Amino acid sequence: MIDVPTLVEQARQGRPRAVARLISLVENASPHLREVMAALAPYTGRAYTVGLTGSPGVGKSTSTSALVTAYRKRGKRVGVLAVDPSSPFSGGALLGDRVRMQDHATDPEVYIRSMATRGHLGGLSWAAPQALRVLDAAGCEVILVETVGVGQSEVEIAAQADTTVVLLAPGMGDGIQAAKAGILEIGDVFVVNKADRDGADATVRELGHMLALGESRKPGDWRPPIVKTVAARSEGVDETVEALEKHRAWMEERGELAARRRRRAGDEVEAIAVAALRSRMGDLHGDRRLESLAERVAAGTLDPYAAADELVDGVTQA
Amino acid sequence: MIDVPTLVEQARQGRPRAVARLISLVENASPHLREVMAALAPYTGRAYTVGLTGSPGVGKSTSTSALVTAYRKRGKRVGVLAVDPSSPFSGGALLGDRVRMQDHATDPEVYIRSMATRGHLGGLSWAAPQALRVLDAAGCEVILVETVGVGQSEVEIAAQADTTVVLLAPGMGDGIQAAKAGILEIGDVFVVNKADRDGADATVRELGHMLALGESRKPGDWRPPIVKTVAARSEGVDETVEALEKHRAWMEERGELAARRRRRAGDEVEAIAVAALRSRMGDLHGDRRLESLAERVAAGTLDPYAAADELVDGVTQA
């Protein structure tokens, strides 16, 4: 038996097991999700979320860990959500290269959670936002959302944050390749990690050129800064936090933070609504309505638009 | 002014310009599509469709052209649809590497058409089936659907055919790589082209092993044959046609052909219905309903499921 009100109350008090349990409900697309989200809603909207993305090998995990340390020094309660959209494995186990996170494992003011979203009924589009809502209600003031890869899904998840950090490293042609593949557009702050390596300045320069090329900004628009870090030695991490705070201040001043959050909520609501309608269509499979429509279309006795009309009618009159 | 009944009548008589015009209406997601599909429906369901997919360089275009020649020798009217899901260019222009197709350019019993589907409102999911319906109504007995790349979309398009051919070539590690990426599952017939090159037998062997590994077939199930061809010299092309005919006969005997077509029609109808519902949601943007729901969700005064319920109600009561 799942006692949602008690779980939510315990999560609000910062009890780690309750937080973990609620995120598992999200991960497994529990039928209780609706109740969970309704119970959490009043306690959400406070956390500041930072998405981190970048190719494997740029040091995402190390950078995330260093940011946790930096925010803890500032007295913030921090949440970390490591999302792996392709992994079928679930359950909050810390992944191999996530050992550094264990530095924070005993800190009661830090929640760290890996989440697999493959198989999530609603897809990625709202698994991550729902998990964020749990951490938000649990009192996390800053939530770092780290994605494991650089596929389209990862980029989308990272872009759903209040501020999105794109990480690169020198000597990785693929860093810039990935940037070309569309992550330049989503970066609010760029971090060139492993900046003690050869070619760091060249990477910063190249990135600067690419950002300048893509620029069609009006005066007063945000210009994504490029920060050099050596996350493993905590170098440049304070500067990263500073850049994040600046971006946040800029967004708040412009009303952009509220606008982003509204857009995000709108996308989430729309995704849930589409899934609900799809599921109603699925129910029609039960009475073989779709099958019979498909049969008539395949036979040429009905055109696909007329068939779709019937399907829509079936759904909307359900 | 578009006179749909006249266009459809001319297409049925095999007039190339009318066929081209109708496919352009599909490609551009014309508002007349609904009328076009209704007018075409009674004349569809006769064509046998063959999807061809494989990595760039395996000789898809040459193989398609050789298959056209082979089917023409058998007296069949043939349609060719070259689909490029990523290209923004449209309009039936023959692409650079498609020159070989010009062998058939003066044959009145062959329709060749390139189609770009990027930007198609409904996405790929039904642009290709709609174009197929045009060629079907125009009396094409065999339609070859060639996709340009090997991305997810290309694979999906090729898999929508009655019979799907997966092409490989020796000495292309990426052929097998692509196979690993999920095209093994969709191949009803495998063709190892450029079989006069070194390593052809090794490719056939490797492919045979991989197919055997993936096998969990019951007695009587279809075992995808592997045909060796040198399409540029028309070698092995008759054997390919034979394999295709065998697969078709097997499917017809089992009722699988009709089942596949019903499934395909069902997917198409469902995609059109979801798009229609999405578009109704989009109309709700007009009266700012979604915006106001999103604002309440972002503020935590409404949970996303309750918001989605309101959105669904708005759509279904429209």
Side-chain angles (χ1 to χ4, degrees), chain B residues 243-258:
Chain B
L244 294 175
E245 292 300 321
K246 258 190 205 160
H247 182 245
R248 180 188 187 160
W250 177 87
M251 283 202 301
E252 280 176 346
E253 198 179 290
R254 295 298 208 85
E256 180 59 28
L257 184 61

Side-chain angles (χ1 to χ4, degrees), chain B residues 17-85:
Chain B
R17 291 194 52 171
V19 172
R21 189 78 192 282
L22 288 173
I23 296 184
S24 292
L25 294 180
V26 169
E27 191 171 46
N28 303 321
S30 155
H32 293 279
L33 262 191
R34 168 179 280 270
E35 192 187 347
V36 169
M37 289 302 135
L40 289 176
Y43 313 113
T44 58
R46 290 167 197 137
Y48 175 63
T49 59
V50 178
L52 292 107
T53 190
S55 301
V58 296
K60 279 196 300 286
S61 180
T62 315
S63 298
T64 303
S65 181
L67 280 172
V68 171
T69 306
Y71 277 114
R72 288 296 301 126
K73 270 199 281 182
R74 285 158 178 79
K76 306 278 191 194
R77 181 180 285 194
V78 184
V80 176
L81 194 66
V83 184
D84 188 350

Side-chain angles (χ1 to χ4, degrees), chain B residues 53 85 147-157 183:
Chain B
T53 190
T147 54
V148 169
V150 279
Q152 193 50 44
S153 317
E154 282 89 344
V155 168
E156 275 167 29
I157 291 168
I183 65 177

Side-chain angles (χ1 to χ4, degrees), chain B residues 257-292:
Chain B
L257 184 61
R260 269 196 193 196
R261 288 180 175 182
R262 274 199 306 274
R263 266 201 305 277
R264 229 154 62 203
D267 291 347
E268 192 185 353
V269 169
E270 206 171 336
I272 295 176
V274 168
L277 290 167
R278 260 191 198 282
S279 144
R280 287 198 196 175
M281 283 189 205
D283 294 342
L284 296 183
H285 283 266
D287 65 7
R288 293 194 42 83
R289 189 178 329 199
L290 180 55
E291 275 83 350
S292 118

Side-chain angles (χ1 to χ4, degrees), chain A residues 33-34 37-38 41-42 44-45 126 130 133 261-262 265-266 268-270 272-274 276-278 280-281 285 290-291 294-295 297-300 302-309 311-312 315-316, chain B residues 33-34 37-38 41-42 44-45 126 130 133 261-262 265-266 268-270 272-274 276-278 280-281 285 290-291 294-295 297-300 302-309 311-312 315-316:
Chain A
L33 262 192
R34 169 180 280 271
M37 289 302 134
T44 57
W126 77 82
Q130 290 184 341
R133 215 168 264 127
R261 289 179 174 183
R262 273 199 306 275
E268 192 185 354
V269 169
E270 207 171 335
I272 295 175
V274 167
L277 289 167
R278 261 192 198 281
R280 287 201 195 173
M281 284 189 205
H285 284 267
L290 180 55
E291 275 81 352
E295 198 160 336
V297 170
L302 186 71
D303 75 90
Y305 286 93
D309 285 347
L311 196 58
V312 167
V315 165
T316 55
Chain B
L33 262 191
R34 168 179 280 270
M37 289 302 135
T44 58
W126 77 80
Q130 289 184 340
R133 216 168 262 127
R261 288 180 175 182
R262 274 199 306 274
E268 192 185 353
V269 169
E270 206 171 336
I272 295 176
V274 168
L277 290 167
R278 260 191 198 282
R280 287 198 196 175
M281 283 189 205
H285 283 266
L290 180 55
E291 275 83 350
E295 200 160 333
V297 170
L302 187 72
D303 76 89
Y305 286 92
D309 285 346
L311 196 58
V312 166
V315 165
T316 55

